[in-house]
Amino acid sequence: MGATIIGTGKAVPAFKVTNHRLSQIVDTSDEWIVPRTGIHERPIATAETATDLASAAARRALGWEAGAGLAPTETIDAASIDLVVCMTLTGDAIIPSQAALVKARLGLPNAVAFDLNAACAGCVYGLATAQSMMAAAQAPGWAGNHVRRALVIGVERMSRILDWTDRATCVLFGDGAGAVVLEWRDGATGIASSFLKNTDDEALTLACGKNYDMSSFPFGDEMVLAGEGPDATAGPQADVSRDAIVHDDHARAVMGSPFISMTGQKVFKFATSAIVEAIGTALDRAGWELADIDAIVPHQANERIIRYAAKKLGVPEDLFQVSIGTAGNASAASALMALDDAWRSGKLHAGDKAIMVGFGGGLTSGAIAFEA
Ligand code: COA
């Protein structure tokens, strides 16, 4: 306990794509998208890099730039940031990490920086990881890094991994970044509990492959399909075919594709049970009751998932921050963007008890209970 959110910020691309605009690209309509998802428009990065978005969100969270949902009460010195964690699926590069790019852009001389991929539950995993590093450093005799202030950022350009001819997925996602500054405060509650869970996604209901360029790979003759002997057609997909997870044509196709694929109804079923389980477990671990909670900030995948959770938990829908209408699903960035909105709209106030909850590919799920 003691890891407290002292600043929040978000940044979204300037270009917005409405449902009507999408209906000119694929066979869809506002009438189909809104009732099923709650999405009216989504920001899409046409000019901004992930580093631009993440750095802008971070500058607001640090109080270096106006526009924070929660601005820190004091100026944050760049040298006081010990850690940068970036949760992303769609950063600007594999090397350097997105976090390293942001650290360099912002000029944070003492921060250690790394990325974390927990898909759409990234916000929760990132905050829980930073909190764990802070808490570990409190142990007597601790001989590792001392983390007292961390910048935790979710950033996505989901537009880069969408098949813009696939109406089942391209209407759902958006781009953006959300950031928080987390500070260890002796005696403060801050993050009171966390719950992280992984459920095997054997059917690959939510997947996006990696398309390595294998054109210079000199060992094609040696490549082996899982259990099938030498692969005479070694090429870009051959690397994927050796992966233990690939055991059928569906898996081979999705793991060999650079685009997101999703079996919507199965993911919906997973998400609705995962969100309820994660909220309940984080509450139990904190020793809090649902009635104590002033706000819930969920991953923004679908407004119907949020409504389902409210009904199942027996709480009013307006306990939940809903930002998806103008954001779409920005994966690892979405709950942090929603957190910034919750502060700005007055849904969250200092001293409130709140939950952040996420779920996504992997399949990942989790929640943190925290005092604002
Ligand atoms: N526009 C118009 N029609 C569409 C469409 C679109 N954008 N996308 C799919 N359809 C069609 C389908 O082709 C299907 O047509 P058919 O009945 O002729 O075959 C029909 O709409 C119903 O498709 P279905 O996939 O069953 O819709 P759904 O009611 O399950 O809604 C989702 C689809 C994606 C909105 C919903 O399944 C969902 O939200 N899933 C969870 C998504 C999620 O949370 N993802 C992220 C997790 S981090």
Side-chain angles (χ1 to χ4, degrees), residues 283 286-296 315 319 351-355 370-371:
L283 274 176
W288 295 354
E289 303 287 333
L290 200 48
D292 300 332
I293 297 300
D294 301 293
I296 300 177
V315 296
L319 194 63
D352 281 357
K353 286 189 164 68
I355 303 260
F370 65 100
E371 202 168 282

Short mmCIF file of all heavy atoms in Angstrom, two decimals, residues 283 286-296 315 319 351-355 370-371:
data_model
loop_
_atom_site.label_atom_id
_atom_site.label_comp_id
_atom_site.label_asym_id
_atom_site.label_seq_id
_atom_site.Cartn_x
_atom_site.Cartn_y
_atom_site.Cartn_z
N LEU A 283 -11.94 -6.18 -4.85
CA LEU A 283 -12.67 -5.67 -3.67
C LEU A 283 -12.39 -6.55 -2.45
O LEU A 283 -12.06 -6.03 -1.38
CB LEU A 283 -14.18 -5.70 -3.94
CG LEU A 283 -14.80 -4.51 -4.64
CD1 LEU A 283 -16.27 -4.78 -4.89
CD2 LEU A 283 -14.62 -3.25 -3.82
N ALA A 286 -9.00 -6.07 -1.04
CA ALA A 286 -8.83 -4.79 -0.34
C ALA A 286 -9.60 -4.77 0.96
O ALA A 286 -9.40 -3.88 1.79
CB ALA A 286 -9.29 -3.64 -1.24
N GLY A 287 -10.53 -5.73 1.10
CA GLY A 287 -11.39 -5.73 2.28
C GLY A 287 -12.47 -4.66 2.18
O GLY A 287 -12.96 -4.17 3.20
N TRP A 288 -12.81 -4.29 0.94
CA TRP A 288 -13.82 -3.27 0.71
C TRP A 288 -15.11 -3.92 0.23
O TRP A 288 -15.09 -5.03 -0.31
CB TRP A 288 -13.37 -2.26 -0.36
CG TRP A 288 -12.19 -1.42 0.01
CD1 TRP A 288 -11.56 -1.37 1.21
CD2 TRP A 288 -11.48 -0.51 -0.85
NE1 TRP A 288 -10.50 -0.49 1.15
CE2 TRP A 288 -10.44 0.06 -0.10
CE3 TRP A 288 -11.63 -0.11 -2.18
CZ2 TRP A 288 -9.54 0.99 -0.62
CZ3 TRP A 288 -10.75 0.82 -2.71
CH2 TRP A 288 -9.72 1.37 -1.94
N GLU A 289 -16.22 -3.19 0.40
CA GLU A 289 -17.52 -3.62 -0.12
C GLU A 289 -17.82 -2.83 -1.40
O GLU A 289 -17.36 -1.69 -1.54
CB GLU A 289 -18.64 -3.31 0.89
CG GLU A 289 -18.46 -3.92 2.27
CD GLU A 289 -18.72 -5.42 2.25
OE1 GLU A 289 -19.49 -5.88 1.38
OE2 GLU A 289 -18.12 -6.11 3.09
N LEU A 290 -18.64 -3.40 -2.24
CA LEU A 290 -19.06 -2.69 -3.46
C LEU A 290 -19.72 -1.35 -3.10
O LEU A 290 -19.56 -0.35 -3.81
CB LEU A 290 -20.02 -3.59 -4.25
CG LEU A 290 -20.24 -3.29 -5.72
CD1 LEU A 290 -18.94 -3.10 -6.48
CD2 LEU A 290 -21.07 -4.40 -6.35
N ALA A 291 -20.44 -1.37 -1.99
CA ALA A 291 -21.15 -0.14 -1.57
C ALA A 291 -20.17 0.99 -1.21
O ALA A 291 -20.56 2.17 -1.19
CB ALA A 291 -22.05 -0.45 -0.38
N ASP A 292 -18.90 0.64 -0.92
CA ASP A 292 -17.89 1.67 -0.60
C ASP A 292 -17.40 2.39 -1.85
O ASP A 292 -16.71 3.42 -1.74
CB ASP A 292 -16.64 1.03 0.05
CG ASP A 292 -16.95 0.29 1.33
OD1 ASP A 292 -17.93 0.67 2.00
OD2 ASP A 292 -16.21 -0.68 1.66
N ILE A 293 -17.67 1.81 -3.02
CA ILE A 293 -17.00 2.27 -4.25
C ILE A 293 -17.70 3.47 -4.86
O ILE A 293 -18.91 3.48 -5.07
CB ILE A 293 -16.94 1.11 -5.28
CG1 ILE A 293 -16.09 -0.03 -4.72
CG2 ILE A 293 -16.39 1.56 -6.63
CD1 ILE A 293 -14.64 0.35 -4.38
N ASP A 294 -16.91 4.52 -5.17
CA ASP A 294 -17.46 5.75 -5.73
C ASP A 294 -17.41 5.75 -7.26
O ASP A 294 -18.17 6.48 -7.91
CB ASP A 294 -16.65 6.95 -5.21
CG ASP A 294 -16.71 7.04 -3.69
OD1 ASP A 294 -17.81 7.31 -3.16
OD2 ASP A 294 -15.68 6.80 -3.03
N ALA A 295 -16.46 4.99 -7.85
CA ALA A 295 -16.35 4.99 -9.31
C ALA A 295 -15.62 3.73 -9.77
O ALA A 295 -14.72 3.25 -9.08
CB ALA A 295 -15.60 6.23 -9.79
N ILE A 296 -16.03 3.23 -10.93
CA ILE A 296 -15.32 2.10 -11.56
C ILE A 296 -14.85 2.57 -12.93
O ILE A 296 -15.64 3.12 -13.72
CB ILE A 296 -16.22 0.86 -11.69
CG1 ILE A 296 -16.69 0.41 -10.29
CG2 ILE A 296 -15.48 -0.28 -12.40
CD1 ILE A 296 -17.65 -0.78 -10.30
N VAL A 315 -25.30 -2.61 -9.55
CA VAL A 315 -24.95 -1.20 -9.26
C VAL A 315 -25.43 -0.34 -10.43
O VAL A 315 -25.61 -0.84 -11.55
CB VAL A 315 -23.42 -1.01 -9.08
CG1 VAL A 315 -22.93 -1.79 -7.87
CG2 VAL A 315 -22.64 -1.40 -10.33
N LEU A 319 -22.08 4.41 -12.19
CA LEU A 319 -20.89 4.21 -11.34
C LEU A 319 -19.65 4.03 -12.23
O LEU A 319 -18.53 4.26 -11.83
CB LEU A 319 -21.09 2.96 -10.47
CG LEU A 319 -20.15 2.76 -9.29
CD1 LEU A 319 -20.29 3.88 -8.28
CD2 LEU A 319 -20.39 1.41 -8.60
N GLY A 351 -9.80 11.20 -2.43
CA GLY A 351 -10.31 10.43 -1.29
C GLY A 351 -11.33 9.37 -1.67
O GLY A 351 -11.67 8.50 -0.86
N ASP A 352 -11.82 9.41 -2.93
CA ASP A 352 -12.78 8.38 -3.38
C ASP A 352 -12.14 7.00 -3.39
O ASP A 352 -10.93 6.87 -3.64
CB ASP A 352 -13.26 8.68 -4.81
CG ASP A 352 -14.33 9.76 -4.84
OD1 ASP A 352 -14.75 10.22 -3.77
OD2 ASP A 352 -14.73 10.13 -5.97
N LYS A 353 -12.97 5.99 -3.18
CA LYS A 353 -12.53 4.61 -3.40
C LYS A 353 -12.97 4.20 -4.80
O LYS A 353 -14.13 4.44 -5.18
CB LYS A 353 -13.16 3.69 -2.35
CG LYS A 353 -12.55 3.82 -0.95
CD LYS A 353 -13.10 2.71 -0.06
CE LYS A 353 -12.29 2.53 1.21
NZ LYS A 353 -12.38 3.64 2.15
N ALA A 354 -12.07 3.60 -5.55
CA ALA A 354 -12.37 3.30 -6.95
C ALA A 354 -11.73 1.98 -7.37
O ALA A 354 -10.86 1.45 -6.68
CB ALA A 354 -11.86 4.43 -7.84
N ILE A 355 -12.21 1.50 -8.52
CA ILE A 355 -11.66 0.26 -9.10
C ILE A 355 -11.28 0.57 -10.54
O ILE A 355 -12.06 1.23 -11.25
CB ILE A 355 -12.74 -0.85 -9.16
CG1 ILE A 355 -13.32 -1.14 -7.78
CG2 ILE A 355 -12.22 -2.10 -9.85
CD1 ILE A 355 -12.75 -2.34 -7.10
N PHE A 370 -8.29 1.17 -5.58
CA PHE A 370 -7.40 2.25 -5.15
C PHE A 370 -8.18 3.41 -4.52
O PHE A 370 -9.37 3.58 -4.79
CB PHE A 370 -6.54 2.77 -6.31
CG PHE A 370 -7.31 3.44 -7.43
CD1 PHE A 370 -7.38 4.82 -7.53
CD2 PHE A 370 -7.95 2.68 -8.41
CE1 PHE A 370 -8.08 5.44 -8.56
CE2 PHE A 370 -8.66 3.28 -9.45
CZ PHE A 370 -8.73 4.65 -9.53
N GLU A 371 -7.47 4.14 -3.69
CA GLU A 371 -8.05 5.35 -3.13
C GLU A 371 -7.50 6.53 -3.91
O GLU A 371 -6.29 6.67 -4.06
CB GLU A 371 -7.69 5.46 -1.64
CG GLU A 371 -8.66 6.35 -0.88
CD GLU A 371 -8.47 6.21 0.62
OE1 GLU A 371 -8.93 5.22 1.19
OE2 GLU A 371 -7.82 7.11 1.19
#
